[in-house]
Amino acid sequence: MLKAARALSWWALIPPLCVIVLVAAWGHKVGGVGLVVVGIALVAAVVVAVHHAEIVAHHVGEPFGALILAVAVTAIEVGLIIMLMTSGPEGPSTLARDTVFAAFMIVCNGVVGLCLLVGGLRHREVEFHVEGVTATLATLSTVAALALVLPSFTTSSPGPTYSGPQLAFAGIASLVLYAAFVFVQTIRHRHYFLPLETGDDDQGHEPGRKAAAVSLIMLLLCLVAVVGLAKVESPAIEHVVAVAGAPRAVVGVVIALLVLLPETAAAVRAASRNQIQTSFNLALGSAVASIGLTIPAIAIASIWLQNTLVLGLDPKDIVLLVITVVVTTLTVAPGRATLMQGMVHLTIFGVFLFLSFVP
C-alpha cells in the first residue's frame, strides 16, 4: 500500500513540474539548454499522460476512457490552432487545414498501422467489432469529405474556401454527426465499441474514485503541458523547417505529431495487450473528434477574426485521403487483421510524410 502511494505521488508530481517548465518558458525565446529541458518535459508529459489516461479509462470503462482522451486532446488542439492563427500573419490561413489533415493521416495510417503491426507481431492476428469500427469510419469519412474535400469544388467563394453560409452549414453538420456518433458509441450501441474478451485484460486492481479523479486532473495538466510545450518548441521547429527549405505545411505536421503523442502511446500499449478495439476507439475516434469539433470551432474563430479560412485540400492530398479511406475500409471489413495491413497503413503514412517535405 505504501509502495503504491509513493508511485502515485511520483506520477502526480511530474505534471505540475511540466506546467512549471511551461510557465517559465512561455513568452521567452528558448534556445540551447532551454530547448533540451522543454523537450524532456514534453516527453515526460506524454508518458505520464498515458499513465493517467489508462487509470481514468479503467475506472470509467470503455469506450468512455477513449472518448475522454480524444475529446481532451481535441479541445486543446483547437486552442493551439486558434492561438497560432491569432499570432500568425494576416491573410488566408491554411494552418487549420494542414493540422487537421495531418491529424487525420497520423491517426488513420500512422497510429492504426503501428497498432496493427505491434498487435500482429505479438498476437499474430487481432480481432475487433466490425460494427463499431465501420460506424466510426463512416462518420470519419463523411466529416473529412465535408471539411477538407468539398471546399475545393464549391463555387460560391474563390479558391478552396467556403462562403459564410457554407462554413456555418459545414460546422453545424460536423457537430450533429459527432453528437450522433457519441450517442451511438456511449449509449445506444455501446457494446459495438467494447473490447473483445482476449484473455489479456488484466489491468490489476480497479482504481478508486479518488485516484481516478486525481488522474483526471493530472491528465488535463499533462495535455495542457504537451500542447503548450509544443507551442514553445514551434519557433525552433519553424526555423528548422525554413532552413531545410521544406514547405510551411510541415510545421502543422510536426505540431500534430507532438499533440497526438499521448493518444499514440496509449493506443500502441492497448494493441500490445491484444485490445485492438480500444486502439481503434482511440485512433479513429480521435480523428472523428479532431474534425467534428475542430471545424466548427475554427469556423467561429475565423468569422470573429475576419480571416479567410482555406479548408480545401490540393489534388495530391485528396488522393491520399481517398486512398486512406478505401484501405481502412478494406482493413476493418473482415473484423480481423494481421501485420500485413499494418505495413500497408504505415507505407501510406510514409508517403504522406515524404510528400509533405517533397511536394
Side-chain angles (χ1 to χ4, degrees):
M1 186 73 179
L2 181 60
K3 185 177 180 181
R6 287 177 178 174
L8 179 61
S9 65
W10 277 108
W11 285 111
L13 181 63
I14 295 177
L17 289 177
C18 294
V19 172
I20 291 173
V21 173
L22 172 60
V23 172
W26 192 261
H28 297 84
K29 188 176 181 180
V30 182
V33 177
L35 280 177
V36 175
V37 173
V38 169
I40 293 173
L42 179 60
V43 174
V46 169
V47 173
V48 177
V50 174
H51 169 77
H52 288 296
E54 289 184 340
I55 292 178
V56 173
H58 191 55
H59 180 75
V60 302
E62 286 295 332
F64 294 101
L67 182 64
I68 288 172
L69 184 56
V71 172
V73 169
T74 301
I76 299 176
E77 178 187 353
V78 170
L80 178 61
I81 291 174
I82 294 176
M83 186 188 308
L84 293 175
M85 284 175 63
T86 56
S87 61
E90 295 183 357
S93 175
T94 62
L95 175 66
R97 178 199 66 185
D98 295 337
T99 305
V100 170
F101 179 61
F104 175 88
M105 296 300 292
I106 290 167
V107 297
C108 292
N109 288 310
V111 181
V112 168
L114 190 58
C115 289
L116 292 177
L117 181 63
V118 170
L121 287 173
R122 186 163 183 177
H123 305 286
R124 296 184 64 85
E125 185 178 78
V126 293
E127 297 183 355
F128 43 86
H129 291 292
V130 177
E131 299 87 349
V133 181
T134 52
T136 308
L137 183 59
T139 307
L140 175 59
S141 302
T142 303
V143 295
L146 183 64
L148 300 174
V149 178
L150 280 180
S152 296
F153 299 94
T154 56
T155 58
S156 296
S157 59
T161 61
Y162 273 145
S163 64
Q166 289 173 335
L167 188 58
F169 177 81
I172 293 171
S174 297
L175 274 178
V176 170
L177 274 174
Y178 185 69
F181 170 73
V182 171
F183 173 71
V184 169
Q185 184 185 34
T186 59
I187 299 175
R188 193 59 175 265
H189 298 289
R190 183 187 172 192
H191 57 285
Y192 288 164
F193 301 88
L194 296 177
L196 296 174
E197 295 295 333
T198 61
D200 296 343
D201 299 333
D202 185 16
Q203 302 278 337
H205 69 281
E206 183 176 347
R209 182 177 299 179
K210 182 178 179 180
V214 171
S215 289
L216 180 60
I217 295 173
M218 294 300 106
L219 172 61
L220 294 177
L221 285 178
C222 286
L223 294 175
V224 170
V226 168
V227 175
L229 293 170
K231 164 65 175 171
V232 172
E233 293 272 8
S234 63
I237 295 170
E238 291 177 352
H239 176 70
V240 172
V241 169
V243 170
R248 184 172 174 77
V250 173
V251 176
V253 175
V254 175
I255 292 176
L257 282 168
L258 293 175
V259 172
L260 289 170
L261 274 176
E263 282 182 319
T264 302
V268 172
R269 288 189 65 174
S272 68
R273 298 191 185 109
N274 204 15
Q275 296 174 348
I276 203 68
Q277 181 67 53
T278 300
S279 298
F280 281 150
N281 290 344
L282 283 164
L284 298 179
S286 69
V288 174
S290 178
I291 301 177
L293 298 179
T294 300
I295 296 303
I298 62 176
I300 295 173
S302 68
I303 294 173
W304 176 54
L305 297 172
Q306 296 183 344
N307 282 353
T308 301
L309 189 62
V310 178
L311 287 176
L313 297 171
D314 58 36
K316 165 181 64 69
D317 291 334
I318 291 177
V319 170
L320 286 174
L321 188 148
V322 171
I323 291 174
T324 298
V325 171
V326 171
V327 170
T328 306
T329 302
L330 295 175
T331 295
V332 304
R336 60 178 61 89
T338 65
L339 61 85
M340 184 65 232
Q341 285 88 346
M343 289 300 300
V344 172
H345 281 277
L346 288 175
T347 299
I348 298 173
F349 182 59
V351 172
F352 162 70
L353 288 180
F354 178 76
L355 292 180
S356 297
F357 285 89
V358 187

